[in-house]
Amino acid sequence: MTDMKIATVGVHVLDTHVIGIESIPDGSDGQLVETIRMSPAGTAGGTAVVLRRLGAEVLSFGAVGVDPVADTLLALLEREGVDVSGLVRKADHQTSASVIPVRPNGDRPAWHCIGANGAFTLDDLDRAALDGITHLHLGGPEFLGGEAAGELLAHARSLGAVTSVDILAPGDPDLLAWVAAALPHTDYLLPNDEQVLGFTGASSLADGARALVDAGAGCVAVTQGSKGALVVTADDVVGVPAYPVEAVDTTGCGDAFSAGFLRGLSLGRDPAGAARLGCATAAQVAQGIGTDAGTYDLDSVVAFAG
């Protein structure tokens, strides 16, 4: 099996999922719910967990606070086998956290605190710790800014690593301008459909993704929820369908897609084949609560993908 040693850099969050929310109680009233569950999440942290389950060696880099939220998040990541030695503690910031009330129909609004993710800089990352990586995945380049993100990605490439980027913020042309300097150093950009259309103002996903390729990204693999993914390069546009499953909670499905896609690349798949593994991985996560839902591994996901 192809070795994969990946650095997942950037956004780490502790998600608290509350299942069975029909409404917010009036006044100070209470309400019983089905489940309250915590899970590691974020465009770096959630992707790290899934990559580890798919057999990759994973080193996480980012910032957390000095608080019980960090203790819980680090424990959950370590339980999955993620190396958390690159996560620095910031005494003057709380750990990033979200509370996600999941409605019976699957809708999942969220309350989110950016916390220490907003304080992470390149000075917090020991570059020597990146030696030997085969991949670097940057989740949330907007917190570093395009220049710093580009510097990190260029360094990873100088080590021979494949680079990938997942932007957390909603699609907006100003946000794209803020991170544009990172795109020429990005082998694989992994946005969702709303981001692509928002960043570019394009009338179709394919046109929007092509615009991002023109801006420097080597390949753009766009997630489209239940519609699957669209993989766009300078030469090709390929649609990859989602796998039909009974979805319980779609939180973390984008991070799971990223993990499966990157693991597929490490195994020698072409981008479309990697996207199929990404969609199959997302399907596992959708059937449970949180990014760490389920008990799948690489063999079972490959078998599921067919």
Side-chain angles (χ1 to χ4, degrees):
M1 188 172 295
T2 302
D3 290 331
M4 183 185 197
K5 182 177 181 180
I6 184 166
T8 51
V9 183
V11 173
H12 290 73
V13 183
L14 182 68
D15 276 359
T16 299
H17 313 262
V18 186
I19 307 300
I21 296 288
E22 295 184 358
S23 64
I24 296 176
D26 292 330
S28 298
D29 291 347
Q31 183 183 95
L32 293 177
V33 297
E34 297 168 21
T35 304
I36 298 176
R37 184 176 186 275
M38 294 180 179
S39 65
T43 44
T47 305
V49 166
V50 183
L51 278 162
R52 187 71 194 96
R53 293 211 177 164
L54 296 178
E57 180 181 352
V58 185
L59 301 84
S60 261
F61 298 87
V64 296
V66 183
D67 53 19
V69 179
D71 297 341
T72 302
L73 177 56
L74 293 174
L76 290 171
L77 289 167
E78 287 185 303
R79 187 175 71 181
E80 295 287 346
V82 175
D83 183 336
V84 299
S85 58
L87 288 171
V88 299
R89 297 265 195 163
K90 300 273 189 178
D92 50 348
H93 294 273
Q94 82 147 80
T95 303
S96 181
S98 293
V99 176
I100 303 169
V102 182
R103 297 187 176 117
N105 68 355
D107 286 349
R108 49 182 185 94
W111 292 284
H112 179 65
C113 179
I114 291 173
N117 284 327
F120 178 65
T121 72
L122 286 190
D123 292 338
D124 295 315
L125 195 156
D126 176 12
R127 294 193 185 190
L130 300 177
D131 290 348
I133 61 170
T134 60
H135 295 72
L136 184 141
H137 179 67
L138 175 58
E142 60 268 34
F143 291 109
L144 290 176
E147 294 291 340
E151 181 183 333
L152 173 62
L153 296 166
H155 177 69
R157 276 183 164 178
S158 77
L159 301 174
V162 173
T163 61
S164 54
V165 169
D166 184 5
I167 300 171
L168 184 62
D172 179 271
D174 291 337
L175 190 281
L176 181 62
W178 172 244
V179 300
L183 294 182
H185 308 285
T186 301
D187 294 319
Y188 297 93
L189 181 64
L190 306 170
N192 62 40
D193 47 3
E194 293 178 354
Q195 288 174 322
V196 169
L197 297 176
F199 290 148
T200 64
S203 58
S204 75
L205 269 189
D207 288 345
R210 282 194 197 96
L212 294 170
V213 170
D214 290 343
C219 172
V220 180
V222 189
T223 55
Q224 306 179 78
S226 61
K227 295 179 182 178
L230 192 70
V231 181
V232 179
T233 63
D235 303 316
D236 208 2
V237 177
V238 180
V240 176
Y243 291 83
V245 294
E246 191 68 37
V248 173
D249 174 22
T250 57
T251 307
C253 284
D255 301 328
F257 172 85
S258 294
F261 179 83
L262 296 171
R263 191 68 176 111
L265 293 174
S266 79
L267 296 170
R269 294 187 175 213
D270 65 13
R276 280 189 281 277
L277 191 63
C279 288
T281 306
Q284 312 310 305
V285 170
Q287 295 177 79
I289 302 169
T291 311
D292 59 347
T295 56
Y296 56 89
D297 59 16
L298 179 60
D299 289 341
S300 67
V301 177
V302 168
F304 177 87

